[in-house]
């Protein structure tokens, strides 16, 4: 088949579901993610229920049978940084504890359980009268929540307490304010799938709402606020009145078992008092179809908090109405003329005479008044969103779907979003920046929910067609009278055959080559050859190595067309520019030269099909002989590969140290790798043989562009890197490497012997607890609390933990975050073995000690 426009599917045709990666997608599109801080509802959902300033009773380490009051300084997941009351602003005795394992209790627990509150030794002299002191510090104090310190809920994120089977009350926002019981079917990061009580076997009326939605409440809210419990009109006819009353009776009997703690709703937006009156006109966006702005009317005022609006419809024969209940802070309601002032199109009401809508004429025609500006909350543009930013958003037509979204337009505190990947096309959506249906990049992955990936047309196998490639391909095509696509002869690539019987060489996997299609093409040269090269890369033992061999040498003369190809190997993604020819007369020579580059038979692929016997007689040659005839007899090169930087100094000093890409903080981690820091001496069985080639590959692959590395980060690392220049003319001898590694091990052992980790102590560290050599005392030029990420990286590069600087840069760890790191946190979040983790914490402790000595007071 001719490869051209005919082969590209329509928008509605089948698409290829590929594994989606946000980092790759952002790089491919050149877009940036909306800042996480702009999604306040998500930030609120991540809070663990404990807040700085809360007090609790903690067991004293020196005397396990006694307790004392402590204040929470800060929180990190299930870790709390505490300070015993009485130390004032003195931070030297601050200590971390794990909610799950520490002996922690709410204020008043000791008195209830006949336990002793005793002043710790370190502050005994400061508190002569214990009872008077406690009475003073506990007056008006906020105790840590008891339900998060004891029982089944201990250590749990409060959000996890909204488990499937929990019950809540939901107000009916379409036609009345009556509430009805809903069951939680699913909880995805605070986004709840809700089903009405009594409809256990039907999902037809299910709804998705964020737990902070102002119309969602804990059980008992309706009775407390004077609203009745009635099933919505949409489901009321499904059961008799007696059945609904029986269901309500059952719910009240089981209220304690399925109730949700009221503390969860303390961060819900507070609904203020409105000043709307019946009959007022305004502009509005229907929340069920938020695609256009329309004239609307205040249909009914319920009380000082709630009112109903209706989207205007002037048709006399209309059978339905679009009405919904609002409050003063409801999204999507605007004063008259807001669209005009912001250059937006206002859709006239159905049945409106004429095309041009005019508010003055419309108000006169209806005999109505416009809602004054004072009825509406002030809109802000200080929200962090910008055009072309990416985020994740709920599809309003199918709330099950969360799609990739692009900000196409901004007006005040409203966004216009274009959704990608939805099952059915969706127009641009209008949402508030405070909407609880938008989420930051990575939210779905973090919460284990399926994000709808963008549609990728099934064209060339596994190749993403760039607009440049499509343009080049179409430019060389002309249409005949039947509107079918014909490739211009000059640019038409003949069929490229994969001759499976030919020698596949050292790079390509014979089995995978046998699975390739018999041929590709004909079609546009660039497109066909790009597909061929992609198939070869994917058929390699190490795809990144083949990509490196094919990579365009910057020093070579460029006679063809540059195409960006990708390879994935060991969880990393690589990309490089590869030269392909554009005209048919050069295809055969291109294929032959590419085969020689890959040290395989020159006939392995090309426009010539090998039927029985290869003209090169490749089958009788061994791998060694074949490389001698056709291969590039390569010496082990020590130098910077073309097209990028290579960390060769590290590779020469420690040839067995394997580079490892660090994982992000606070995301679902994959299975922990055992290759962290390898100190195997050179010359040992583990340090020779196959590993040597592997390590050389690791160095060589740095000439490719690694997808997840930003230029800004590389600049920071180079700026902070302090390394002495060495000659690259020859590699170090085996004995030199062994001697260097032995010295490194001895140095590490000495440091480990002098290191004492004391973050878990509840008492201030004394000089004998911190066994540190005098020579290692750190003198800081600036306060680490004010260090930027670059400052932290510079500090690490000056220590023997320099190889770990990249992870601090990737995770944007500044000075404040550095001072919060502890051994358990470092091991868990940075995926380090105990040895490297202790070595890193040793330097962190040095910074902490210097901070206390120089800046704490």
């Amino acid at each position: 088949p001719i490869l051209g426009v005919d082969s590209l599917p329509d928008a509605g045709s089948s698409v290829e579901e590929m594994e989606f990666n946000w980092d790759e997608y952002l790089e491919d599109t050149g877009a940036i993610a909306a800042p996480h801080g702009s999604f306040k509802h998500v930030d609120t959902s991540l809070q663990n229920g404990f807040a700085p300033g809360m007090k609790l009773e903690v067991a004293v380490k020196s005397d396990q049978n006694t307790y004392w009051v402590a204040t929470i300084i800060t929180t990190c997941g299930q870790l709390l940084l505490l300070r015993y009351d009485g130390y004032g602003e003195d931070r030297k005795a601050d200590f971390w504890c794990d909610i799950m394992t520490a002996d922690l209790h709410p204020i008043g627990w000791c008195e209830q359980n006949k336990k002793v509150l005793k002043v710790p030794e370190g502050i005994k002299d400061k508190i002569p009268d214990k009872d008077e002191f406690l009475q003073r510090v506990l007056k008006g104090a906020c105790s840590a929540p008891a339900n998060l310190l004891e029982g089944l809920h201990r250590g749990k994120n409060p959000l996890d307490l909204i488990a499937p089977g929990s019950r809540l009350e939901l107000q009916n926002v379409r036609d009345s304010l009556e509430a009805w019981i809903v069951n939680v079917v699913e909880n995805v990061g605070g986004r709840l799938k809700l089903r009405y009580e009594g409809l256990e076997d039907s999902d037809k009326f299910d709804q998705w709402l964020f737990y902070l939605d102002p119309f969602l409440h804990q059980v008992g809210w309706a009775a407390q606020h004077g609203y009745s419990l009635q099933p919505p009109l949409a489901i009321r006819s499904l059961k008799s009145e007696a059945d609904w009353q029986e269901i309500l009776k059952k719910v009240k009997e089981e209220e304690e078992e399925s109730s949700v703690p009221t503390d969860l709703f303390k961060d819900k937006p507070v609904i203020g008092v409105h000043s709307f009156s019946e009959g007022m006109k305004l502009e509005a966006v229907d929340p069920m179809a938020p695609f256009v702005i329309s004239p609307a009317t205040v249909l009914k005022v319920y009380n000082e908090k709630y009112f109903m609006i209706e989207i205007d419809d002037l048709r006399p024969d209309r059978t339905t109405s679009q009405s919904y209940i609002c409050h003063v802070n409801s999204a999507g309601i605007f004063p008259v003329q807001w669209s005009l002032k912001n250059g937006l199109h206002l859709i006239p009401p159905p049945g409106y005479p004429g095309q041009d809508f005019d508010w003055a004429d419309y108000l006169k025609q209806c005999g109505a008044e416009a809602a004054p500006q004072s009825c509406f909350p002030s809109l802000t543009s200080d929200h962090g969103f910008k055009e072309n930013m990416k985020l994740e958003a709920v599809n309003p037509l199918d709330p099950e779907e969360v799609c990739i979204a692009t900000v196409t337009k901004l007006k005040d505190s409203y966004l216009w979003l274009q959704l990608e990947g939805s099952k059915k096309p969706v127009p641009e959506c209008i949402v508030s920046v405070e909407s609880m249906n938008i989420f930051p990049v990575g939210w779905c992955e973090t919460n284990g929910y399926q994000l709808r990936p963008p549609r990728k047309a099934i064209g060339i196998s596994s190749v993403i067609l760039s607009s440049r490639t499509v343009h080049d391909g179409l430019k060389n095509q002309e249409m005949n009278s039947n509107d079918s696509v014909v490739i211009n002869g000059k640019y038409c690539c003949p069929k490229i055959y994969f001759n499976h019987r030919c020698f596949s060489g050292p790079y390509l996997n014979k089995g995978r080559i046998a699975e390739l299609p018999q041929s590709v093409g004909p079609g546009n040269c660039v497109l066909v050859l790009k597909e061929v090269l992609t198939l070869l890369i994917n058929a390699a033992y190490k795809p990144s190595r083949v990509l490196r061999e094919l990579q365009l040498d910057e020093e070579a003369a460029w006679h063809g067309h540059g195409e960006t190809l990708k390879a994935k190997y060991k969880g990393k993604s690589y990309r490089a520019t590869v030269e392909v020819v554009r005209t048919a007369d050069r295809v055969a020579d291109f294929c032959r030269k590419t085969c020689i580059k890959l040290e395989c038979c020159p006939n392995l692929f090309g426009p010539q099909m090998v039927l029985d016997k290869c003209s090169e007689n490749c089958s009788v040659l061994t791998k060694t002989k074949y490389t001698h005839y056709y291969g590039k007899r390569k010496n082990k090169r020590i130098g910077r590969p073309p097209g990028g930087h290579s960390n060769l100094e590290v590779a020469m000093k420690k040839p067995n140290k394997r580079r490892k890409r660090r994982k992000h903080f606070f995301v679902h981690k994959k299975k922990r790798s055992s290759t962290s820091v390898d100190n195997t001496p050179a010359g040992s069985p583990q340090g020779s043989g196959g590993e040597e080639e592997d390590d050389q590959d690791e160095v060589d692959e740095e000439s490719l562009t690694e997808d997840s590395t930003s230029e800004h980060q590389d600049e920071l690392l180079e700026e902070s890197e302090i390394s002495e220049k060495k000659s690259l003319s020859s590699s170090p001898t085996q004995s030199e490497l062994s001697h260097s590694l032995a010295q490194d091990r001895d140095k590490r052992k000495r440091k480990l012997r002098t290191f004492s980790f004391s973050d878990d102590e509840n008492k201030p560290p004394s000089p004998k607890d911190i066994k540190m050599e005098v020579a290692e005392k750190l003198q800081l030029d600036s306060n680490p609390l004010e260090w930027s990420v670059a400052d932290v990286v510079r500090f690490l590069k000056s220590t023997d933990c320099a190889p770990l600087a990249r992870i601090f840069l990737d995770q944007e760890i500044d000075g404040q975050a550095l001072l919060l790191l502890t051994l358990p946190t470092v091991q868990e979040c940075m995926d380090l073995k105990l040895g490297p983790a202790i070595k890193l914490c040793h330097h962190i402790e040095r910074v902490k000690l210097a901070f206390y000595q120089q800046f704490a007071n």
Side-chain angles (χ1 to χ4, degrees):
I2 292 176
L3 181 64
V5 175
D6 285 348
S7 62
L8 299 178
D10 297 330
S13 65
S14 61
V15 293
E16 181 176 34
E17 296 290 336
M18 299 181 70
E19 183 180 346
F20 179 75
N21 181 291
W22 260 116
D23 290 334
E24 292 180 7
Y25 178 75
L26 290 173
E27 186 167 343
D28 288 342
T29 57
I32 60 172
H36 279 242
S38 297
F39 303 87
K40 294 174 183 169
H41 60 295
V42 176
D43 282 345
T44 301
S45 71
L46 296 175
Q47 294 173 5
N48 64 1
F50 296 94
M54 286 182 174
K55 295 186 183 294
L56 60 168
E57 296 173 354
V58 188
V60 179
K61 278 282 180 78
S62 57
D63 186 354
Q64 292 292 333
N65 295 320
T66 62
Y67 296 79
W68 189 242
V69 175
T71 301
I72 297 175
I73 304 301
T74 191
T75 67
C76 180
Q78 65 182 43
L79 300 178
L80 303 178
L81 180 63
L82 303 178
R83 182 184 303 161
Y84 282 128
D85 283 15
Y87 277 100
E89 297 301 316
D90 187 355
R91 303 176 182 176
K92 66 183 179 183
D94 291 1
F95 59 97
W96 287 95
C97 64
D98 189 324
I99 301 168
M100 295 299 292
T101 57
D103 195 0
L104 308 175
H105 303 281
I107 297 298
W109 180 86
C110 286
E111 184 178 356
Q112 294 170 7
N113 293 273
K114 304 294 188 287
K115 298 292 183 180
V116 178
L117 280 172
K118 184 180 177 182
V119 182
E121 290 294 328
I123 49 174
K124 210 168 187 179
D125 297 339
K126 297 181 180 180
I127 304 175
D129 188 338
K130 178 189 73 173
D131 294 333
E132 185 273 333
F133 175 81
L134 288 176
Q135 187 175 2
R136 176 163 47 86
V137 298
L138 294 180
K139 185 177 181 180
C142 177
S143 173
N147 63 307
L148 298 180
L149 291 171
E150 300 166 347
L152 297 175
H153 298 162
R154 181 179 182 180
K156 282 190 176 181
N157 187 315
L159 201 56
D160 297 334
L161 302 182
I162 310 179
S166 300
R167 288 191 175 108
L168 298 166
E169 290 180 1
L170 176 63
Q171 288 178 271
N172 182 6
V173 297
R174 294 306 287 184
D175 49 40
S176 73
L177 277 177
E178 295 170 339
W180 186 242
I181 310 295
V182 287
N183 277 293
V184 176
V185 177
E186 195 175 350
N187 179 356
V188 181
R191 189 166 180 258
L192 309 178
K193 185 177 184 179
L194 304 170
R195 183 169 299 165
Y196 285 117
E197 187 73 35
L199 302 184
E200 287 75 14
D201 300 327
S202 172
D203 60 0
K204 182 180 178 182
F205 298 95
D206 286 0
Q207 299 183 52
W208 282 91
L209 290 175
F210 204 72
Y211 80 105
L212 295 174
D213 190 285
F215 290 101
L216 191 63
H217 314 278
Q218 71 273 21
V219 172
W221 176 89
Q224 293 171 10
H225 293 81
Y227 295 98
S228 62
L229 280 174
Q230 288 286 342
L233 288 175
I235 67 170
R236 198 172 296 177
S237 61
L238 299 179
K239 293 183 182 292
S240 66
E241 183 63 28
D243 289 339
W244 288 121
Q245 291 304 316
E246 188 64 31
I247 290 170
L248 197 55
K249 181 180 177 183
K250 177 188 172 187
V251 168
K252 289 180 178 177
E253 291 173 354
E254 300 173 356
E255 186 172 333
E256 289 187 8
E257 299 174 15
S258 59
S259 62
V260 172
T262 55
D263 290 346
L264 279 172
F265 301 98
K266 61 181 173 53
D267 296 311
K268 277 177 56 174
V270 177
I271 296 177
V273 176
H274 72 80
S275 54
F276 287 94
S277 302
E278 285 186 17
M280 283 182 173
K281 295 287 185 181
L282 64 156
E283 297 180 1
V285 175
D286 184 355
M288 304 302 287
F291 312 120
V292 296
I293 305 174
S294 308
T297 305
V298 178
L299 193 64
K300 184 177 181 179
V301 173
Y302 290 94
N303 51 37
E304 63 180 10
K305 289 188 176 182
Y306 300 106
F307 57 95
M308 177 182 283
I309 72 168
E310 182 181 48
I311 305 297
D312 285 359
D313 187 341
L314 305 181
R315 293 173 297 185
D317 57 344
R318 65 171 181 162
T319 55
T320 59
S321 65
Q322 295 170 275
S323 60
Y324 54 96
I325 292 171
C326 295
H327 50 81
V328 68
N329 293 318
S330 286
I333 55 174
F334 314 100
V336 161
Q337 304 286 12
W338 185 83
S339 297
L340 182 64
K341 291 175 183 176
N342 286 279
L344 302 170
H345 181 58
L346 183 73
I347 301 296
Y352 180 80
Q355 295 297 318
D356 298 326
F357 180 82
D358 181 80
W359 261 116
D361 291 344
Y362 185 61
L363 290 173
K364 190 175 180 181
Q365 176 187 335
C366 297
E369 64 171 327
Q373 180 73 47
S374 59
C375 291
F376 302 87
S378 57
L379 301 178
T380 177
S381 55
D382 183 21
H383 43 63
F385 290 100
K386 294 180 181 177
E387 281 189 16
N388 297 320
M389 279 184 170
K390 301 286 183 180
L391 57 147
E392 299 175 4
V394 174
N395 180 355
L397 299 182
D398 184 0
E400 289 269 355
E401 286 187 357
V402 180
C403 304
I404 295 167
T406 305
V407 179
T408 59
K409 185 162 52 182
L410 299 98
K411 294 295 178 184
D412 294 334
S413 53
Y414 285 85
L415 312 174
W416 274 252
L417 300 180
Q418 183 63 59
L419 304 187
E420 300 178 44
S422 56
K423 293 175 185 175
K424 296 180 180 179
V426 180
E428 280 190 345
C429 308
I430 306 170
V431 301
S432 165
V433 295
E434 295 182 350
S435 168
M436 297 184 195
N437 283 327
I438 58 175
F439 304 95
V441 160
W443 182 85
C444 280
E445 182 184 4
T446 302
N447 291 284
Y449 195 76
Q450 177 62 51
L451 176 70
R452 291 290 303 173
R455 289 172 176 265
K456 293 185 180 178
I458 303 177
I460 299 173
S461 172
S462 305
V463 177
I464 302 173
L465 299 177
S466 66
S467 58
R468 181 185 67 186
T469 304
V470 174
H471 173 74
D472 289 338
L474 295 180
K475 188 171 66 175
N476 300 322
Q477 297 173 355
E478 53 188 26
M479 306 297 289
N480 65 9
S481 58
N482 295 322
D483 291 332
S484 62
V485 177
V486 178
I487 307 291
N488 185 317
K490 179 182 177 181
Y491 300 101
C492 180
C493 180
K495 264 190 183 182
I496 302 297
Y497 295 94
F498 290 105
N499 297 307
H500 303 136
R501 296 182 182 180
C502 288
F503 180 69
S504 58
Y507 298 134
L508 302 177
N509 184 314
K510 182 77 174 176
R512 292 177 189 166
I513 290 290
E515 295 173 358
L516 295 180
Q518 187 177 10
S519 64
V520 175
N524 175 270
C525 282
V526 172
L527 300 183
V528 171
L529 293 177
K530 186 173 180 181
E531 179 177 14
V532 168
L533 295 180
T534 300
L535 291 171
L536 289 172
I537 290 169
N538 293 335
Y541 291 106
K542 297 177 182 176
S544 54
R545 180 73 181 269
V546 169
L547 183 59
R548 181 175 60 80
E549 295 297 331
L550 297 175
Q551 183 177 9
L552 177 67
D553 191 337
E554 290 181 352
E555 297 176 3
W558 194 345
H559 302 295
H561 174 82
E563 278 296 321
T564 299
L565 296 184
K566 293 183 180 180
K568 285 194 175 183
Y569 181 58
K570 289 187 176 179
K572 292 183 182 179
S573 295
Y574 300 90
R575 60 174 60 211
T577 302
V578 176
E579 181 183 11
V580 294
V581 295
R582 304 175 63 134
T583 56
D585 59 332
R586 300 178 60 197
V587 168
D589 185 54
F590 171 82
C591 292
R592 185 175 181 85
K593 286 180 177 177
T594 302
C595 287
I596 292 173
K597 269 187 183 181
L598 299 180
E599 300 180 26
C600 59
C601 174
N603 290 333
L604 180 65
F605 65 93
Q608 187 71 36
M609 180 190 289
V610 175
L611 296 174
D612 295 321
K613 189 175 181 181
C614 174
S615 61
E616 301 290 336
N617 201 25
C618 63
S619 60
V620 301
L621 295 173
T622 64
K623 179 176 177 179
T624 306
K625 289 179 181 176
Y626 199 92
T627 305
H628 174 76
Y629 289 117
Y630 294 108
K632 305 164 291 178
R633 281 177 277 172
K634 296 183 294 183
N635 297 319
K636 285 269 185 187
R637 57 177 177 164
I638 298 181
R640 187 170 289 179
H645 299 286
S646 177
N647 193 4
L648 279 179
E649 290 188 14
V650 175
M652 289 170 63
K653 292 175 189 173
K654 301 180 182 179
N656 294 317
K657 181 169 180 179
R658 305 293 303 278
R659 293 177 69 254
K660 179 176 177 181
R661 183 176 174 183
R662 300 298 174 189
K663 296 180 175 64
H664 292 294
F665 269 122
F666 310 123
V667 298
H668 296 298
K669 297 200 298 297
K670 296 178 183 175
K671 184 176 180 182
R672 181 172 296 188
S673 169
S674 61
T675 58
S676 186
V677 177
D678 187 357
N679 295 321
T680 309
S684 67
Q686 294 93 328
S688 59
E691 282 295 313
E692 185 179 349
E693 184 183 346
D694 228 19
D695 293 332
Q696 184 62 32
D697 286 343
E698 294 277 351
V699 174
D700 289 340
E701 280 160 9
E702 290 185 2
S703 66
L704 309 176
T705 303
E706 196 172 322
D707 280 0
S708 63
T709 307
S710 71
E711 293 176 7
H712 173 65
Q713 290 177 339
D714 288 337
E715 288 169 9
L716 274 176
L717 272 181
E718 287 171 14
E719 178 190 334
S720 60
E721 192 167 336
I722 304 170
S723 59
E724 82 182 70
K725 303 290 183 182
K726 293 191 176 183
S727 169
L728 302 181
S729 58
S730 62
S731 60
T733 64
Q734 195 80 340
S735 60
E736 287 171 345
L737 288 171
S738 301
H739 180 66
S740 172
L741 287 169
Q743 284 184 327
D744 187 56
R745 275 199 313 281
D746 292 341
K747 185 178 177 183
R748 183 178 291 112
K749 286 179 182 176
R750 287 197 300 273
K751 288 188 176 180
L752 290 181
R753 281 198 297 271
T754 62
F755 175 68
S756 173
F757 190 80
S758 59
D759 259 356
D760 290 330
E761 297 297 328
N762 285 346
K763 56 185 179 181
S766 62
K768 65 181 180 181
D769 291 328
I770 304 174
K771 301 176 183 176
M772 198 174 292
E773 295 177 6
V774 176
E776 289 186 338
K777 185 175 180 181
L778 190 64
Q779 195 70 25
L780 299 177
D781 296 328
S782 59
N783 190 336
L785 282 176
E786 300 169 357
W787 282 4
S788 66
V789 177
D791 294 332
V792 172
V793 170
R794 273 191 209 95
F795 168 73
L796 282 174
K797 297 295 286 185
S798 69
T799 71
D800 56 355
C801 287
L804 300 180
R806 167 66 68 183
I807 187 173
F808 279 73
L809 189 58
D810 288 343
Q811 308 310 328
E812 299 181 355
I813 298 175
D814 59 10
Q816 292 187 27
L818 179 75
L819 293 178
L820 287 174
L821 292 179
T822 62
L823 181 60
T825 310
V826 165
Q827 279 189 279
E828 178 67 21
C829 297
M830 295 188 181
D831 203 15
L832 295 179
K833 285 185 176 180
L834 182 61
I838 290 179
K839 186 164 70 169
L840 175 60
C841 286
H842 169 57
H843 293 295
I844 295 172
E845 287 298 297
R846 293 174 64 207
V847 175
K848 289 181 183 179
L849 184 64
F851 166 74
Y852 290 135
Q853 292 175 339
Q854 293 178 236
F855 302 102
N857 295 324

